[in-house]
Amino acid sequence: MSTVVTPRPDWDTYFMDIAHVVARRANCCRRQVAALIVKDRRIISTGYNGTPRGVTNCNEGGCQRCAGDAPSGSDLGECICCHAEENAISQAAYHGIAVAGAMLYCTLSPCLLCAKMLINAGIRDVVFEEEYSFSSQTRQLLDQAAVSCRQFHRG
């Protein structure tokens, strides 16, 4: 009887696979996104996109913008959903967990607002899988703040 040995995933694959499981908890009816904050190869916080705590979930009609027919990327000022990165940072703060010097894995590239939050929270590295609305301004801001940012490619 032979034993089939499955190759161990590298760290990026391991954390990105976990991020995809976390994304399944997202309650936004438009898109499922997740973020993990990792320090010393330990997950210290997770977040997924959706409405704030105590507010009717997006997929239950909580966000009128998402429930409507606004084209992707439009009327974002009307959306009450929080981004995955925002929720990962907020969850860490809520539980008193420092994120300074940590790394963030996210299923999508950060937007400008999330990039500013990541910088101010002290996140030093960002790894994202898919590029979504990743502007040159966002990339330049992360570069200027010395936040390493790279796209993950499955091998």
Side-chain angles (χ1 to χ4, degrees), residues 109-111 115 128 131-139 142 149:
S109 58
C111 69
F128 65 90
E131 197 167 304
Y132 176 78
S133 189
F134 195 38
S135 70
S136 60
Q137 183 183 27
T138 302
R139 192 177 296 275
L142 291 167
C149 188

Side-chain angles (χ1 to χ4, degrees), residues 8-54:
R8 275 180 93 186
D10 60 50
W11 288 109
D12 284 352
T13 302
Y14 173 73
F15 289 125
M16 203 57 77
D17 285 351
I18 293 170
H20 281 279
V21 172
V22 172
R24 292 178 14 212
R25 288 285 306 154
N27 69 62
C28 179
C29 56
R30 294 264 179 135
R31 167 178 335 275
Q32 292 184 313
V33 182
L36 304 177
I37 300 177
V38 174
K39 196 166 190 177
D40 300 323
R41 295 186 173 156
R42 284 184 45 242
I43 298 167
I44 60 173
S45 185
T46 65
Y48 49 83
N49 60 323
T51 52
R53 180 188 319 254

Side-chain angles (χ1 to χ4, degrees), residues 4 8 17 42 50-52 54-58 62 66 74 76-77 82 88 96-97 99 114 133 136 148 152:
V4 176
R8 275 180 93 186
D17 285 351
R42 284 184 45 242
T51 52
V55 174
T56 302
N57 286 334
C58 179
C66 289
S74 69
L76 295 178
C82 300
I97 300 167
V99 299
C114 286
S133 189
S136 60
S148 164
F152 168 74

